[in-house]
Amino acid sequence: MRWLLLVALLVGCNSDLDEPWQLEHDRIIAIRATPPRILSGETSTIDVLLGFSAAEMPVVERGPDVATVVSPMSLMDTLANDNGNWVVTAPSEERLAAAREELELEPGAPVPLVVGIAVAWPYEIVTPQGNAFGGAKTLWLGESATNPELTGMLINGIEPGAELVVPKEVKVPLFVEADDKIDIVNWLTSCGEMHDFDLHKAYLKVLPDQPQDGQLAVVKRDDRGGVSWRVWPIRAE
């Protein structure tokens, strides 16, 4: 029953005309596994970065409400809720070998574990509008990797602190070290508007008729399944 509910969620997620860089939008912005690749006996914890359409609701980082293994079915028991945290424990090498046969993988290949997740709050898990949050995350079992670092970050030419203050009506450059050929970077904001949001070099511009304060976020994904993010309060002066 829980699996059928989750399938309905994953199919029924919201779609609307909000700009992809807009933070004020009901959605899962990113799903992270820490770490994204683990060896037998190691654990990984799943969390999410959430955005909301209500201006008074800031971006929040927390665990999903519902999670279940989608594939391979023989490893469903590797996922468990530990005091509110969804944790994957990589099984023995013998079980990984069996999973490789199930998935028709080469001997020794990392095993992709697909976890479907849903977030109920601030909505009920099932609503007539179908506006519950849903998504999926792939972890890799049988090898090690960490989430990418957010290095070399510059906002308007300086290293960002805990809060950002940017000038109005000018291009504010945003930068984080990344290789656009293998990394995916997304910049998101609820203050002003974003340009080149899907590049590691982007810029923000705050015009008089746009929100003068809010939040700025950056999400970086690498080609090993890693995800990192950072969120700041921001205002234009």
Side-chain angles (χ1 to χ4, degrees), residues 222-236:
D222 66 18
D223 61 351
R224 302 277 289 167
V227 180
S228 294
W229 58 63
R230 187 170 173 186
V231 182
W232 304 263
I234 184 173
R235 69 180 189 275

Side-chain angles (χ1 to χ4, degrees), residues 213-227:
D213 57 37
Q215 291 180 293
L216 176 74
V218 62
V219 179
K220 181 180 178 181
R221 300 173 174 87
D222 66 18
D223 61 351
R224 302 277 289 167
V227 180

Side-chain angles (χ1 to χ4, degrees), residues 85-98:
N85 297 312
W86 288 99
V87 178
V88 171
T89 302
S92 66
E93 282 298 328
E94 290 77 13
R95 293 192 65 193
L96 288 178

